[in-house]
């Protein structure tokens, strides 16, 4: 048996040698015939933290370590350990981590955990050297060659053997180095030095192109890495300018002839539709006289009488092929690109795509890639995120202060998504623009590189310098920037900066003015400071501008961390911030409520986003919105603002189908003057339809229903069939409905439906007159002598405290509001509200006469705006409140609005909601008070936890009694 095994091993070993030899031979034959050599694989490597490499000529020596490329230092496990002194690239607004005692254990080496953003396993800032030996085939003799690095981060210097080739520093396009004829057949060494420090120009430490807040300030090379042979005479630039009205494409191209040789060349141009059954177009043949180093050509290519047009509904593409033939070349020059016939323009204050009104329903891509720390360059990854975006009813993506790789444009082309691309800068905090610094020149160069590289993509419809600029001369500079590009390239629209400034010269405005919560508004915002309704819009705001307006970064509504998400972080970025927040929740004895906090705050978050989006859709003549965002932003203090996680996956409190009801191309809308009614009132609400679905709706039937939450029908109606043109602000009819037939408090669902779309709103109806209630329960706003005596003698007391009466240390300093937290408390310096809605058990008998779900809805607006929170840990850790307030995850304090306890021989409910003041104008307060009183009268009211009267009295200050 041993002899047979040895014999078999010998045969296998011999066979493996044959296979390896054959593979090597095949690879050599392939290289001989190929115009490119793939450089993916193992490279020599060395860090250069002391900047000695250039002086010591490291390009002439073999580097000591090894890495795998494409990749970064971090994906290769190389860099420094994270410490308190790690030199992050990114602003730290909240410095409490460095000094506060609650973070002391996370500052110890071996247990470093930062709350600001996702934490890389290793970190390095500085120069690093990459080196690879290559063998150039004989067939490349005398040919021109180049090094192609699809994405390098970011200053890249290249040597071939001992010859310095040059330096590139684009953040948004490939780094391409012309090697001319240096790559003679035989062995050569390619050495690349990459430096990820801010040097000659500063795009801003918070720019998503470089910041550790999101993609990380990585060092490395990703995507396609190749040595390529270029024909001696080749097309170096090809730009297509579709004209949908004339049915043609204006072609501008440059033929490079670095040899200067004279002669003739022939260009063959053809366009082929992505549809198999499309009419075949003719090939355009053009003779070119070669005389000099380059030739610029302008040609017209006919697309037929009815070319297929590209838009969000029909993203039809053409493959445009260029073939340059000349006897001066050994290699043919054949190039292909995808493009679309489209025209993205403005009409008054709105956008038009191919002469049809459209509305931008956008979100931001903030360059968050938790598994790699750098952007993917494969099509599949971008199809996943963009498909999620489309699935949630959106048609637009803004790339916040960065430019994505080629694959992102290709995916957007394929799916029909409109992109706003930015020149990799957020010039604020540590940077300015327009003051004559190197950044000013860099932005022009970077924008030209981006347009040259990606300008043919139909999805590339908008461009700006970057985000929220600063500098005393930024308005003048950015106005000139817009004017420059409006003349240079009309294929897209241009604005100054995302956020500001608004100038007449911009094609469109990107402004934060039209949104329901603006920076610093806090409890005075629309959601927190006004009674709930759906009547408001942004007409007054946009009326002063002649061009379209796109609302900048609307939403920013937070949700509680989903700790189940932590297992997804299998790459180089770890959720150490989540670990801190999880620890805090456990320390405060509420970890069992983590999922409940997520779901309840998630429902509130969706309600806030619905209000934001519908306000935009209600505004006649509005251009669109850009959410921040559909998915979470893991940096800047941890901004959990998405209904999707950073992986573009659901959190399970709202489905895409539910989201598309209020965020879609066609959306029914109702202008409800209130979400709260009494049985003596009549609902009078105009109905509208926002139609940006690509076509008018002829003879559309629009109907409405009002049902109970279990689906029981109550009222319904149908409007006369109507033609619904493209656009919004189109009045369909008015719902008029009395509620006199309703006998008890009800949560109702109002639905409006067209043939292709349905939307719904929760409304609440309460009896105008409540039944008499016994005097068994004493209701008071102060724990006076009579109330104390009532408790001591075994009575029942409902203490409903005035807003502001609770001591700060007992919770009175907590900024309770109806809406979710805006962005997060760390990066807004605790802008109110600092809470995430309520959590209760809707089946509890205390709410038998006050219909509620487990989370905040419009009927709780009155309660939270007339309340203060109670810190249950300062009162009693044994009491589980009937109504909780969900605290900010950073502090994770146990907060209550309503709780019950035994006091002396009696029983007490404490309501931190003022249910008595102005209750004639507050039907929700009357109903909640009635429900609590009915509960206290019944046998179910049996508090389990006993409290001393003195402890209850500690809740309020003396002057509030």
């Amino acid at each position: 048996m041993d002899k047979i095994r040895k014999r078999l091993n010998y045969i296998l070993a011999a066979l493996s040698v044959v296979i390896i030899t054959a593979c090597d031979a095949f690879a050599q034959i392939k290289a001989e015939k190929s115009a490119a050599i793939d450089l993916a694989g193992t490279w020599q490597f060395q860090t250069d933290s002391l900047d000695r490499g250039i002086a010591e000529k490291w390009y002439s020596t073999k580097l000591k370590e090894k890495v795998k490329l494409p990749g970064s230092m971090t994906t290769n496990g190389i860099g420094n350990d994270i410490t308190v002194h790690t030199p992050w690239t990114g602003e730290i607004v909240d410095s409490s981590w460095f000094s506060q005692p609650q973070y002391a254990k996370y500052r110890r080496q071996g247990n470093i955990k930062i709350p600001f953003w996702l934490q890389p396993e290793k970190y390095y800032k500085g120069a690093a050297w990459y080196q690879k030996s290559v063998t150039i085939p004989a067939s490349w003799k005398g040919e021109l060659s180049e090094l192609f690095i699809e994405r390098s981060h970011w200053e890249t210097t290249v040597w071939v053997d001992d010859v310095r080739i040059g330096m590139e520093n684009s953040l948004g396009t490939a780094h391409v180095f012309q090697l001319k004829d240096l790559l003679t057949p035989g062995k050569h060494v390619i050495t690349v030095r990459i430096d990820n420090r801010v040097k000659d120009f500063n795009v801003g430490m918070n720019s998503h192109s470089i910041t550790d807040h999101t993609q990380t300030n990585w060092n490395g090379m990703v995507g396609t890495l190749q040595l390529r042979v270029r024909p001696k005479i080749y097309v170096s630039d090809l730009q297509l300018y579709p004209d949908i009205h004339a049915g043609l494409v204006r072609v501008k191209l440059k033929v490079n002839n670095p040899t200067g040789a004279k002669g003739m060349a022939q260009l063959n141009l053809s366009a082929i539709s992505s549809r198999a059954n499309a009419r075949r177009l003719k090939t355009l043949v053009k003779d070119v006289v070669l005389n000099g180093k380059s030739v610029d050509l302008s040609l017209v290519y006919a697309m037929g009488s009815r070319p297929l047009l590209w838009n969000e509904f029909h993203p039809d593409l053409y493959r445009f092929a260029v073939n340059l033939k000349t006897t001066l070349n050994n290699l043919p020059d054949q190039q292909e690109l995808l493009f679309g016939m489209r025209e993205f323009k403005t009409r008054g204050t709105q956008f038009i795509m191919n002469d049809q009104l459209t509305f931008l329903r956008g979100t931001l891509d903030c360059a968050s890639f938790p598994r790699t720390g750098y952007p993917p360059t494969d099509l599949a990854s971008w199809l996943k995120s963009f498909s999620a975006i489309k699935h949630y009813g959106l048609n637009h993506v803004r790339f916040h202060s960065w430019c994505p790789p080629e694959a992102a444009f290709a995916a957007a082309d394929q799916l029909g998504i409109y992109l706003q691309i930015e020149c990799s800068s957020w010039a604020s905090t540590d940077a300015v623009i327009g003051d004559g610094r190197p950044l000013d020149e860099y932005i022009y160069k970077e924008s030209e590189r981006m347009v040259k590289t990606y300008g043919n993509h139909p999805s590339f419809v908008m461009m700006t310098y970057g985000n929220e600029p600063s500098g005393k001369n930024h308005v003048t500079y950015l106005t000139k920037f817009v004017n420059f590009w409006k003349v240079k390239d009309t294929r897209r629209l241009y604005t100054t900066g995302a956020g500001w400034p608004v100038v007449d010269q911009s094609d469109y405005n990107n402004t934060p003015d039209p949104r329901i919560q603006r920076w610093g508004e806090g409890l005075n915002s629309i959601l927190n400071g006004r009674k709930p309704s759906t009547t408001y819009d942004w007409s007054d705001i946009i009326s002063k501008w002649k061009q379209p307006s796109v609302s900048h970064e609307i939403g920013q509504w937070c949700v509680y961390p989903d700790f189940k998400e932590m297992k997804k972080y299998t790459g180089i970025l770890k959720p150490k911030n989540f670990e801190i927040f999880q620890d805090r929740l456990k320390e405060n004895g509420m970890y069992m409520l983590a999922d409940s906090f997520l779901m309840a705050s998630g429902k509130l978050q969706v309600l806030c986003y619905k209000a934001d989006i519908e306000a935009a859709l209600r505004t006649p003549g509005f251009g669109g919105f850009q959410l921040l965002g559909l998915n979470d932003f893991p940096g800047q203090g941890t901004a959990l603002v998405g209904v999707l996680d950073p992986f573009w996956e659901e959190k399970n409190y709202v489905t895409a189908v539910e989201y598309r009801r209020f965020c879609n191309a066609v959306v029914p809308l109702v202008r409800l003057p209130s979400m709260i009614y009494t049985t003596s009132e009549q609902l009078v609400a105009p109905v509208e339809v926002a139609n940006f679905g690509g076509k008018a709706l002829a003879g559309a039937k629009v109907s409405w229903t009002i049902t109970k939450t279990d689906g029981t029908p109550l009222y319904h109606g149908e409007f006369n069939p109507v033609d619904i043109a493209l656009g919004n602000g189109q009045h369909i009819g008015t719902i008029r409905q009395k509620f006199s037939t309703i006998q008890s408090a009800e949560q109702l669902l109002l639905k409006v439906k067209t043939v292709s779309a349905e939307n719904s709103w929760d409304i609440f109806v309460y009896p105008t007159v409540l039944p008499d209630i016994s005097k068994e329960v004493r209701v008071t706003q102060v724990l006076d002598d009579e109330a104390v005596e009532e408790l001591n003698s075994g009575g029942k007391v409902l203490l409903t405290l005035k807003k502001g009466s609770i001591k700060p240390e007992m919770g009175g300093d907590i900024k309770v509001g109806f809406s979710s937290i805006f962005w997060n408390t760390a990066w807004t310096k605790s802008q109110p509200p600092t809470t995430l809605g309520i959590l209760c058990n809707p089946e509890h008998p205390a709410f038998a006469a006050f219909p509620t779900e487990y989370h905040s809805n419009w009927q709780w607006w009155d309660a939270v705006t007339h309340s203060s929170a109670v810190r249950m840990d300062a009162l009693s850790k044994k009491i589980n409140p009937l109504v909780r307030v969900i605290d900010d995850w950073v502090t994770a304090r146990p907060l209550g609005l309503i709780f019950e306890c035994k006091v002396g021989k009696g029983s007490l409910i404490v309501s931190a909601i003022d249910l008595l003041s102005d209750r004639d104008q507050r039907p929700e307060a009357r109903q909640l008070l009635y429900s609590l009183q009915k509960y206290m009268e019944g046998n179910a009211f049996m508090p389990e936890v006993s409290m001393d009267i003195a402890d209850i009295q500690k809740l309020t200050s003396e002057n509030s009694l």
Side-chain angles (χ1 to χ4, degrees):
M1 191 66 181
D2 287 342
K3 290 182 179 180
I4 294 173
R5 185 180 292 110
K6 289 179 180 179
R7 176 75 173 168
L8 182 60
N9 289 339
Y10 174 79
I11 293 171
L12 291 173
L15 184 60
S16 66
V17 172
V18 172
I19 292 172
I20 292 170
T21 303
C23 289
D24 288 344
F26 177 76
Q28 182 63 29
I29 292 169
K30 184 178 180 182
E32 292 284 348
K33 294 183 177 181
S34 174
I37 297 174
D38 186 7
L39 298 179
T42 301
W43 287 57
Q44 302 300 123
F45 173 81
Q46 198 164 329
T47 56
D48 188 9
S49 60
L50 300 178
D51 283 326
R52 294 161 38 189
I54 295 176
E56 295 178 0
K57 300 181 179 180
W58 285 9
Y59 48 82
S60 296
T61 61
K62 186 175 181 179
L63 303 181
K64 299 175 182 178
E65 302 173 48
K66 292 182 179 181
V67 293
K68 292 284 187 180
L69 296 179
S72 68
M73 287 179 58
T74 317
T75 59
N76 280 277
I78 298 173
N80 302 314
D81 290 338
I82 307 302
T83 72
V84 175
H85 306 293
T86 294
W88 301 109
T89 301
E91 180 186 14
I92 297 175
V93 173
D94 179 10
S95 61
S96 61
W97 182 80
F98 295 96
S99 58
Q100 293 300 314
Q102 65 264 31
Y103 291 115
K105 62 182 177 181
Y106 304 116
R107 297 193 294 265
R108 290 196 296 267
Q109 203 57 37
N111 191 47
I112 297 289
K113 296 180 182 180
I114 55 173
F116 315 129
W117 46 66
L118 298 175
Q119 186 169 319
E121 295 177 322
K122 298 286 185 178
Y123 193 81
Y124 179 80
K125 185 186 290 186
W129 293 66
Y130 303 79
Q131 192 178 75
K132 192 170 185 67
S133 297
V134 294
T135 300
I136 304 303
S139 61
W140 286 26
K141 184 177 181 180
E143 300 292 348
L144 303 179
S145 58
E146 68 181 24
L147 171 64
F148 181 89
I149 305 171
E150 184 171 358
R151 186 134 301 196
S152 181
H153 199 76
W154 50 332
E155 183 189 89
T156 307
T157 309
V158 170
W159 288 260
V160 173
D161 300 324
D162 292 341
V163 179
R164 184 182 184 275
I165 302 303
M167 184 270 284
E168 297 286 342
N169 56 20
S170 174
L171 282 160
T173 62
H175 290 190
V176 184
F177 296 87
Q178 302 301 323
L179 308 182
K180 300 180 181 179
D181 56 357
L182 288 174
L183 289 183
T184 56
K187 290 189 176 181
H188 294 275
V189 176
I190 307 296
T191 304
V192 181
R193 179 184 183 270
I194 298 177
D195 195 336
N196 63 345
R197 290 172 292 187
V198 174
K199 297 174 72 177
D200 295 338
F201 58 91
N202 182 9
V203 297
M205 71 169 79
N206 294 328
S207 302
H208 297 169
S209 53
I210 67 169
T211 188
D212 288 309
H213 285 292
T214 54
Q215 71 170 294
T216 76
N217 188 18
W218 53 284
N219 189 306
M221 294 177 274
V222 301
T224 299
L225 307 176
Q226 287 183 337
L227 289 172
R228 295 173 173 176
V229 173
R230 297 298 301 257
K232 290 185 175 66
I233 300 168
Y234 61 96
V235 175
S236 62
D237 189 18
L238 172 63
Q239 300 297 323
L240 307 180
Y241 298 82
D243 186 334
I244 66 170
H245 301 288
L248 54 85
V249 175
R250 303 185 193 281
V251 183
K252 292 184 179 181
L253 57 81
K254 180 187 287 288
V255 177
N256 260 23
N257 180 15
T259 66
K262 296 182 179 181
M264 295 295 297
Q266 186 185 80
L267 272 172
N268 291 273
L269 309 179
S270 61
I272 301 172
S273 171
S274 57
R275 291 195 190 183
N277 59 349
R279 180 179 299 178
R280 188 171 183 85
L281 301 173
K282 293 181 180 179
T283 298
L284 174 64
V285 180
K286 173 70 175 179
D287 291 330
V288 182
V289 177
L290 300 173
N291 187 6
K293 296 288 187 178
S294 65
V295 179
D296 291 311
L297 297 171
S298 294
L299 307 171
V300 174
Y301 185 89
M303 295 297 296
S305 59
R306 297 184 65 184
L308 299 171
L309 302 184
W310 182 93
N311 63 21
E312 63 181 287
F313 308 107
H314 305 287
D316 287 299
L317 296 169
Y318 288 89
R319 187 174 77 251
F320 198 83
V322 177
N323 190 345
L324 178 67
K325 300 177 182 178
T326 174
T327 57
L328 300 175
N329 274 347
N330 293 328
L331 297 171
D333 184 28
Q334 297 175 331
Q335 300 183 35
E336 287 188 354
L337 59 82
L338 292 176
F339 82 101
M341 293 292 291
R342 62 99 173 129
E343 182 183 69
F344 189 67
K345 298 290 185 183
T346 64
R347 180 184 295 160
T349 61
Q350 292 183 285
F351 296 104
I352 55 172
M353 174 61 79
N354 306 332
D355 289 330
Q356 291 187 326
L357 282 178
T358 191
F359 188 93
L360 297 181
R361 305 178 307 279
T363 188
L364 270 59
D365 187 304
C366 295
S368 174
F369 309 106
R371 294 194 174 104
T372 59
Y374 55 74
T377 56
D378 63 296
L379 183 64
S381 294
W382 289 104
L383 286 174
K384 175 187 175 181
S385 59
F386 285 171
S387 294
I389 287 166
K390 291 279 281 192
H391 203 39
Y392 276 75
L394 302 171
N395 64 356
H396 169 52
V397 179
R398 174 195 159 208
F399 283 85
H400 181 311
S401 61
W402 78 292
C403 177
E406 172 70 25
F409 291 91
D413 293 346
Q414 183 175 322
L415 295 177
I417 293 180
Y418 309 138
L419 304 183
Q420 176 175 306
I421 306 300
E422 301 180 5
C423 303
S424 301
S425 181
W426 183 355
S428 66
T429 305
D430 64 325
V432 296
I433 195 160
D435 287 1
R437 300 182 185 182
L439 177 63
D440 292 358
E441 181 182 1
Y442 179 82
I443 290 298
Y444 274 91
K445 290 181 178 178
E446 183 76 345
S447 63
E448 289 178 323
R449 287 187 289 252
M450 287 160 42
V451 170
K452 179 180 178 180
T453 304
Y454 309 119
N456 293 309
H457 287 281
S459 57
F460 186 2
V461 299
M462 307 161 88
M463 187 173 77
T464 177
Y465 110 91
N467 187 59
E468 298 174 357
S470 64
K472 61 183 179 180
N473 298 309
H474 77 271
V475 176
T476 301
Y477 172 90
L478 292 172
T479 301
K480 290 179 179 178
F481 179 79
V482 166
N483 287 334
F484 171 83
W485 275 108
K486 284 170 67 175
V487 172
K488 186 177 179 65
D489 194 330
T490 60
R491 290 177 291 182
R492 64 197 57 82
L493 301 177
Y494 305 95
T495 194
T496 50
W500 57 78
V502 172
V503 300
D504 289 342
Q505 291 82 356
S506 287
D507 288 320
Y508 67 101
N509 307 319
N510 210 172
T511 169
D513 288 353
R515 65 189 197 196
I516 61 177
Q517 178 128 354
R518 290 170 286 190
W519 185 268
E521 284 186 324
L523 299 181
N524 295 316
S525 67
I526 287 176
L527 275 191
N528 291 296
R530 297 190 198 176
K531 290 185 176 182
S533 77
T534 64
T535 56
Y536 52 88
D537 64 30
W538 315 130
S539 297
D540 290 343
I541 293 173
I542 68 171
S543 63
K544 57 191 174 187
W545 298 314
K546 63 181 181 180
Q547 63 268 67
S549 296
V550 180
S551 49
H552 170 70
E553 298 182 359
I554 75 168
Q556 307 188 39
W557 304 116
C558 283
V559 66
Y560 211 79
D562 181 4
F563 297 121
K564 300 186 298 299
E565 176 189 308
M566 294 166 68
K567 62 180 180 295
K568 296 183 181 181
Y569 292 85
T570 57
I572 61 101
L573 291 174
K574 304 301 183 185
K576 302 293 185 180
N577 49 352
F578 274 37
E579 292 178 18
I580 294 174
F581 310 144
Q582 184 176 245
D583 287 350
R584 186 62 52 85
L585 196 61
K586 289 179 177 178
E587 290 163 2
N588 288 337
M590 294 188 293
Y591 188 65
M592 70 288 189
L593 294 173
D595 286 345
S596 297
F597 286 172
L598 167 68
M599 296 301 291
S601 62
K603 293 294 186 181
L604 174 60
Q605 179 198 47
V606 173
L607 180 146
C608 294
Y609 273 113
K610 186 176 191 290
D612 246 329
I613 291 169
E614 288 184 353
L617 288 169
R618 281 194 300 269
T619 306
F622 199 49
F625 62 82
Q626 294 166 344
L627 298 175
L628 187 53
L630 185 63
N631 71 329
D632 283 340
F633 185 104
Q636 290 188 358
T638 308
L640 305 176
V641 296
V643 300
L644 302 182
D645 65 25
F647 305 93
W648 298 95
E649 294 170 355
E650 290 187 356
K651 299 180 184 177
N652 298 320
Y653 50 78
V654 64
T655 66
V657 171
E658 292 167 333
Y659 204 90
R660 286 201 305 272
R661 290 176 186 163
F662 59 83
C663 180
N664 214 333
V666 180
V667 178
L669 300 163
V670 176
R671 290 183 180 261
L672 288 158
S674 177
M675 316 304 284
I676 311 297
Y677 297 89
T678 65
T679 52
S680 62
E681 292 179 315
Q682 181 182 26
L683 181 151
V684 180
V687 174
E688 303 171 359
V689 173
N691 176 23
F692 296 98
K695 62 182 179 181
L697 303 175
K701 293 182 179 180
V702 180
S703 60
W704 61 271
T705 60
I706 296 178
T707 66
K708 294 186 177 182
T709 53
D710 63 4
T712 302
L714 293 177
Y715 316 107
H716 69 277
E718 186 171 305
F719 301 106
N720 293 328
V722 61
D723 295 339
I724 304 175
L726 286 175
N728 59 351
Q730 301 181 78
H731 181 69
I732 305 300
T734 300
I735 301 172
R736 300 179 187 275
Q737 182 59 57
K738 295 180 178 180
F739 297 115
S740 55
T741 59
I742 293 178
Q743 302 299 313
S744 59
E746 295 282 1
Q747 176 175 340
L748 304 179
L749 188 66
L750 167 62
K751 291 183 181 179
V752 176
K753 185 177 182 180
T754 68
V755 173
S756 59
E758 178 181 287
N759 200 1
S760 62
W761 299 263
D762 292 314
I763 59 175
F764 299 84
V765 179
Y766 301 114
T768 303
V769 179
L770 291 165
D772 290 335
I773 198 162
S774 74
K775 305 298 183 182
E776 182 183 350
V777 177
R778 172 184 282 273
V779 180
T780 180
Q781 289 187 300
V782 293
L783 204 56
D784 53 18
D785 292 341
E786 288 82 358
V788 171
E789 177 60 28
E790 186 81 25
L791 289 169
N792 287 335
S793 61
K796 300 176 181 180
V797 174
L798 197 166
L799 175 62
T800 173
L801 299 170
K802 288 185 178 181
K803 182 176 181 178
S805 64
I806 296 176
K807 292 178 182 177
E809 65 270 23
M810 301 302 291
D813 61 345
I814 294 170
K815 302 166 186 175
V816 180
F818 175 75
S819 77
S820 180
I821 291 171
F822 176 82
W823 197 234
N824 61 62
T825 57
W827 246 244
T828 64
K829 298 182 179 179
S830 295
Q831 282 188 28
T834 59
T835 56
L836 293 158
I838 67 106
L839 174 68
C840 67
N841 176 9
E843 302 301 321
H844 194 284
F847 309 112
F850 186 77
T852 185
E853 299 136 305
Y854 62 89
H855 53 82
S856 292
N857 206 330
W858 296 120
Q859 85 275 35
W860 286 101
W861 182 91
D862 177 84
V864 297
T865 54
H866 288 81
S867 70
S868 302
V870 174
R871 288 195 58 170
M872 304 307 297
D873 55 341
L875 186 68
S876 170
K877 293 183 180 181
K878 296 179 181 180
I879 296 178
N880 288 317
L882 302 179
V883 181
R884 287 184 180 271
V885 177
I886 304 172
D887 192 26
D888 174 24
W889 58 84
V890 176
T891 46
R893 295 161 295 192
L895 305 179
L897 276 186
I898 303 174
F899 64 89
E900 62 183 15
C901 60
K902 290 182 179 179
V903 176
K905 297 178 181 178
S907 299
L908 173 70
I909 278 187
V910 176
S911 169
I913 307 162
D914 179 356
L915 299 173
L916 291 180
S917 300
D918 302 319
R919 57 177 168 169
D920 289 343
Q921 288 77 47
R922 299 169 56 205
E924 312 98 297
R926 292 200 308 268
Q927 192 67 40
L928 180 54
L929 176 60
Y930 173 77
S931 188
L932 292 175
Q933 287 177 288
K934 290 293 289 181
Y935 164 61
M936 295 176 74
E937 287 181 345
N939 296 329
F941 180 48
M942 298 180 63
E944 296 180 356
V945 178
S946 295
M947 293 282 297
D948 290 336
I949 192 68
D951 291 327
I952 301 297
Q953 291 171 329
K954 289 178 184 177
L955 278 174
T956 57
S957 55
E958 289 184 8
N959 57 11
S960 67
L961 297 177

